[in-house]
Every structure is written in structure tokens, then in C-alpha cells.
Amino acid sequence: MAKTPPHIEGEVLAMIAAGYSLAAVSSQFGLSYHTVRGIQKRAGIKSGEIKKQVILKYQNALKDSLASDFIRDKASALLMDDLALSSKLRSKLHVLLDELPDSPRDTKEAVLIARSLSAIATSLKLSNDTLRASFKLGEEPEVNEDLPELIVREMLEVEILDVKGKFTTVEAS
């Protein structure tokens, strides 16, 4: 049985330490699984060891950089900007909302009003999220992945007649 050359053993160990499986390493170098496992055991290298060390190193570096005064100043400036934009957005939303008619003249205008209200509601939600996030500094943001899907389509003639029928029934009552 031939001894594996030292430079190949070094590459095998590097791949194992980087997180490659023993099967993948053996395939890459044309070595048996048992040979690769033997190289690993002799060297005492654990699978993925380097990857974990590198990740930990960069996580610590990121934590250290976030503690700097520069980052805090930037975050504070961004927060102030977000709050100012949120306030301006809310003012504009109030103006737009006041401009919408209370009762539409026809179905097309009703659809346009519905779309406008939907856009205003979305903008208001984003504004509220910004405000909530601003006052929860350091906390994990809430993630709501169950948002409803808004589907906008043109109504069929049958649906329009049905809606008109319901309005005339309500007005007659």
C-alpha cells in the first residue's frame, strides 16, 4: 500500500477542515474513504473546524465594529431621517385621504378609491413599522410572514351587476 504524499494529505486536511465531507474529499483525490478518514484521525482535524473558527472571528469583529461611536452616530442619523420621513409621509397621507370622495360616482371611481385606500393603508403600515422599530432599538424585529396577498383585477360584468344589485337593494331599504 502506497503512502499518500504529504502535499495531498495537506490538501485533504484543508478540505476536511473547511467542512467538506469525507466522501467528497475521497472522490476529489481518488482516495478510499478509509484512507481519508485515517488521514483525518492522524491529524486530529474535525470536519468544518476552520469554517467555524473563521465565522466566529468575523462575528466578533462585526460585534466590535457595531460598538464604535461612528456606527452609533450613523445609526442615530438614519433613525432621525426615518422618523422625519415617516412624519412627512403621514402628513401627505392625511391630505390624500381628505381628497378622496366619500361616495364614488361609478364603479371605475370606486375601484380607484379602493386602490388609493389600499396604498394609503400600506404606507401607513410602513410608517408605523418604522416608528415601532425606532423605539425598540436592540430588540429583534417582529417578522410576520403571514401577510395577506392583495390581488387587483378588473371586475367581470356579472360581478359589477351583482354589486350594483346589492347597492340598489340597500338604498331601497
Side-chain angles (χ1 to χ4, degrees):
M1 178 181 248
K3 173 106 169 93
T4 308
H7 71 282
I8 298 292
E9 281 192 15
E11 289 182 45
V12 165
L13 292 172
M15 286 185 73
I16 292 170
Y20 286 88
S21 70
L22 298 182
V25 175
S26 67
S27 174
Q28 173 72 26
F29 293 100
L31 300 171
S32 75
Y33 179 87
H34 296 291
T35 300
V36 172
R37 191 173 66 189
I39 293 170
Q40 177 191 24
K41 283 186 177 183
R42 280 192 303 278
I45 299 290
K46 293 181 181 174
S47 183
E49 194 171 272
I50 289 177
K51 188 166 38 173
K52 291 175 190 169
Q53 290 172 356
V54 169
I55 289 171
L56 186 61
K57 174 184 172 185
Y58 284 101
Q59 281 177 338
N60 289 334
L62 180 61
K63 285 178 188 174
D64 291 344
S65 71
L66 290 177
S68 74
D69 289 338
F70 174 77
I71 296 295
R72 275 195 291 264
D73 290 345
K74 283 291 185 190
S76 177
L78 288 172
L79 175 63
M80 294 303 294
D81 189 48
D82 284 352
L83 291 173
L85 288 172
S86 182
S87 178
K88 187 171 184 171
L89 176 64
R90 285 173 165 271
S91 297
K92 299 271 185 187
L93 291 176
H94 288 291
V95 171
L96 286 174
L97 195 56
D98 289 341
E99 293 296 319
L100 290 177
D102 289 333
S103 50
R105 292 184 300 261
D106 56 24
T107 306
K108 285 190 177 189
E109 187 176 48
V111 169
L112 290 175
I113 290 171
R115 286 181 181 171
S116 298
L117 289 173
S118 177
I120 289 170
T122 301
S123 298
L124 190 58
K125 167 108 174 67
L126 292 172
S127 171
N128 284 337
D129 289 350
T130 299
L131 291 173
R132 275 193 212 100
S134 299
F135 294 110
K136 289 184 179 180
L137 293 176
E139 292 182 22
E140 289 293 318
E142 291 180 27
V143 178
N144 185 354
E145 296 190 19
D146 298 330
L147 294 176
E149 180 181 0
L150 173 64
I151 300 173
V152 179
R153 64 173 179 80
E154 215 169 301
M155 291 176 71
L156 300 173
E157 190 65 35
V158 175
E159 295 170 319
I160 293 171
L161 292 173
D162 185 43
V163 170
K164 284 181 179 178
K166 287 179 183 175
F167 278 117
T168 54
T169 306
V170 171
E171 289 174 3
S173 301

